[in-house]
């Protein structure tokens, strides 16, 4: 059997559960109709039928197809926003390029996501020789990415608590009104890397939630350099709130319990591995200590034909061998990962060893490999 770590609360629910789901979004209550029966453990690898609500909006409603003149005007506004947030940057190095919904990463792989304006090789006015990359959302006019091209660390000159507070204030300033740091429903995560033997930085992350469930990717994160007393990296990965709300319309209550998800995991791995020999234990893959989340990958949010975001169990695994390697070499002990739709029971990701590989993007397991 796969062991559960103590910080997991195994979710238990009656086997007779509602599975025909017609719900409202985050800004309204959940309305459930119909009835059904969840498959028992021996049938857990099957899937339940789910009536999927229609989605009323798409990314196209929020990101118009601007002409070249309008794009140039928006790029100039983006420069002003960068100088507001980073007044010590050299404005003459701000040369923005419009990046559309479809693009390719450095590895040549095609990606989709919200359009943005990218500024490369941005420098400070004085005192620093590094170049930075900055991205700005053209419609919300907010900075969504800020990072140097090279790392540079030394001994800290400010404390963790000072760095943490400065990081929070930076996020407030960058986001303006309705900042995620003031959202009482957001999940937050803070870490002093230096005190645990790491580099002299403070990590601050805020995750957006809906109906008590955390989104996997809708977050704002910041790395504060305690040596330079400055922001090192900043990422705002929040989707337009109306678009996100319109896609989050399924019930936050799972039809497949945590224990049933683990049973699916055991059944699939035991086809090729001896569970007793593997010594599997479950871990969270997130900073917010819960394996239940909304699956909000960009390939789903910005799809041409969007579907409601799935509620999923996202579970990591460690084995006896990987834990031993961690003790000896301090290498990440995670040996595999598993994602299952918490309403239908469908497996949309399972990676373990060299033999088991089920990894897909789209809703209900369609589209391109992830």
């Amino acid at each position: 059997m796969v062991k559960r770590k103590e910080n997991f609360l195994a979710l238990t629910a009656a086997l007779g559960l509602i599975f025909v789901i017609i719900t409202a979004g985050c800004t309204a209550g959940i309305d459930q109709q119909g009835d059904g029966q969840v498959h028992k453990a021996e049938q857990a690898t099957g899937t339940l039928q789910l009536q999927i609500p229609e989605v009323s909006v798409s990314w196209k409603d929020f990101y118009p197809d601007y002409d070249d003149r309008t794009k140039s005007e928006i790029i100039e506004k983006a420069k002003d926003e960068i100088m507001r947030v980073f007044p010590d940057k050299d404005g003459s190095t701000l040369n923005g390029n419009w990046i559309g919904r479809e693009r390719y990463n450095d590895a040549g792989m095609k990606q989709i996501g919200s359009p943005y304006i990218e500024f490369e090789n941005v420098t400070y006015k004085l005192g620093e020789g590094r170049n930075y990359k900055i991205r700005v959302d053209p419609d919300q006019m907010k900075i969504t990415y800020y990072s140097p091209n090279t790392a540079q660390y030394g001994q800290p000159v400010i404390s963790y608590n000072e760095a943490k507070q400065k990081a929070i204030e930076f996020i407030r300033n960058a986001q303006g009104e309705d900042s995620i740091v003031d959202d009482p429903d957001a999940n937050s995560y803070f870490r002093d890397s230096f005190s645990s033997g790491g580099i002299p930085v403070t990590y601050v992350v805020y995750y957006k939630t809906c109906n008590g469930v955390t989104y996997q990717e809708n977050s704002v994160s910041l790395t504060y350099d305690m040596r330079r007393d400055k922001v090192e990296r900043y990422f705002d990965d929040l989707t337009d709130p109306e678009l996100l709300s319109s896609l989050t319309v399924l019930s936050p209550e799972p039809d497949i319990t945590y224990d049933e998800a683990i049973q699916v995991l055991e059944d699939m791995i035991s086809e090729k591995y001896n569970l007793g020999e593997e010594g599997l234990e479950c871990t969270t893959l997130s900073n917010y200590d819960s394996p239940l989340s909304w699956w909000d990958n960009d390939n789903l949010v910005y799809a041409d034909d969007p579907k409601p975001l799935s509620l999923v169990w996202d579970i990591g695994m460690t084995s006896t061998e990987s834990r031993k390697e961690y003790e000896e070499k301090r290498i990440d002990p995670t040996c595999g990962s598993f994602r299952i739709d918490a309403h239908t029971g469908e497996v949309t990701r399972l990676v373990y060893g060299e033999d088991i590989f089920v990894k897909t993007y789209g809703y209900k397991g369609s589209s391109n490999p992830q």
Side-chain angles (χ1 to χ4, degrees):
M1 297 289 290
V2 177
K3 295 181 181 178
R4 287 75 163 165
K5 283 199 170 180
E6 292 181 358
N7 63 331
F8 281 125
L9 297 178
L11 301 180
T12 56
L15 288 180
L17 290 171
I18 298 170
F19 70 87
V20 179
I21 303 170
I22 303 175
T23 65
C26 289
T27 55
I30 300 298
D31 177 25
Q32 300 183 4
Q33 299 177 356
D35 55 57
Q37 181 96 14
V38 173
H39 290 193
K40 297 203 170 45
E42 63 270 16
Q43 298 172 305
T45 53
T47 58
L48 298 177
Q49 296 299 311
L50 181 69
Q51 183 173 330
I52 303 174
E54 292 293 328
V55 172
S56 58
V57 301
S58 99
W59 68 274
K60 298 176 184 178
D61 300 320
F62 301 90
Y63 294 94
D65 186 14
Y66 296 113
D67 58 35
D68 290 341
R69 178 178 177 179
T70 304
K71 287 181 179 179
S72 296
E73 293 172 352
I74 294 175
I75 288 174
E76 291 303 312
K77 293 180 180 178
K79 292 179 182 180
D80 293 339
E81 177 62 11
I82 291 173
M83 295 306 299
R84 182 189 73 82
V85 177
F86 296 103
D88 49 359
K89 288 291 185 287
D90 183 352
S92 67
T93 64
L94 295 177
N95 298 303
N97 294 309
W98 195 282
I99 307 298
R101 168 184 168 271
E102 295 185 1
R103 58 266 190 162
Y104 292 85
N105 62 17
D106 293 338
M109 296 179 61
K110 185 177 180 179
Q111 295 180 321
I112 64 172
S114 60
Y116 59 83
I117 302 167
E118 183 166 85
F119 297 83
E120 294 192 273
N121 299 320
V122 180
T123 64
Y124 277 88
K125 294 176 182 177
L126 296 171
E128 181 155 353
R130 291 190 297 173
N131 295 332
Y132 288 76
K133 180 182 290 185
I134 304 176
R135 293 172 181 169
V136 179
D137 184 296
D139 288 270
Q140 299 185 57
M141 198 46 62
K142 65 175 183 177
I143 294 173
T144 59
Y145 181 100
Y146 169 82
S147 179
N149 294 323
T150 56
Q152 191 179 79
Y153 299 111
Q155 290 298 310
V157 298
I158 63 171
S159 69
Y160 162 70
N161 286 331
E162 289 176 300
K164 175 183 171 182
Q165 190 58 43
K166 288 185 176 184
I168 292 172
E169 289 306 317
F170 178 89
I171 295 173
R172 277 202 181 99
N173 179 55
Q175 291 193 308
E177 295 183 1
D178 299 323
S179 172
I180 193 170
V181 301
D182 300 314
D183 181 354
D185 296 322
N187 278 330
S188 59
Y189 170 81
F190 310 100
R191 182 162 68 91
D192 177 1
S193 176
F194 188 69
S195 67
S196 57
I199 56 179
V201 299
T202 294
Y203 294 107
V204 173
V205 188
Y206 287 88
Y207 294 91
K208 188 172 179 60
T209 66
C210 178
N211 291 317
V213 178
T214 304
Y215 290 96
Q216 290 187 2
E217 299 187 17
N218 261 263
S219 64
V220 174
S221 59
L222 187 146
T223 303
Y224 199 92
D225 187 340
M226 294 188 286
R227 180 193 72 85
R228 295 167 54 249
D229 191 12
K230 288 182 179 179
V231 174
E232 176 74 354
R233 291 180 175 84
Y234 172 69
F235 308 106
D236 181 339
D237 295 317
L238 298 179
T239 302
D240 182 282
E242 185 179 347
L243 173 59
L244 188 65
S245 175
S246 298
L247 295 175
T248 314
V249 294
L250 297 179
S251 170
E253 298 297 329
D255 290 325
I256 304 297
T257 68
Y258 177 74
D259 285 340
E260 288 172 328
I262 295 299
Q263 184 64 56
V264 173
L265 169 64
E266 291 179 345
D267 290 346
M268 297 187 74
I269 291 182
S270 63
E271 293 178 1
K272 294 189 177 182
Y273 292 88
N274 184 312
L275 293 183
E277 293 178 357
E278 293 297 298
L280 295 184
E281 292 183 359
C282 292
T283 66
T284 55
L285 294 173
S286 65
N287 294 324
Y288 41 86
D289 294 328
S290 174
L292 187 68
S293 59
W294 297 112
W295 187 20
D296 59 329
N297 186 276
D298 276 357
N299 286 265
L300 308 177
V301 173
Y302 299 100
D304 281 331
D305 182 23
K307 302 294 189 300
L309 300 180
S310 297
L311 182 73
V312 297
W313 293 111
D314 221 351
I315 302 165
M317 293 166 278
T318 68
S319 63
T320 300
E321 182 178 350
S322 68
R323 291 190 296 274
K324 180 180 178 181
E325 188 175 32
Y326 175 76
E327 291 298 326
E328 295 175 350
K329 303 178 181 179
R330 313 309 290 180
I331 297 175
D332 184 357
T334 302
C335 64
S337 59
F338 175 70
R339 184 195 298 123
I340 183 173
D341 190 304
H343 287 309
T344 68
E346 181 174 13
V347 176
T348 56
R349 181 183 66 202
L350 173 57
V351 178
Y352 191 78
E354 298 180 356
D355 303 313
I356 305 177
F357 188 88
V358 178
K359 208 171 184 184
T360 56
Y361 258 140
Y363 188 81
K364 309 296 286 181
S366 63
S367 194
N368 299 319
Q370 177 179 316

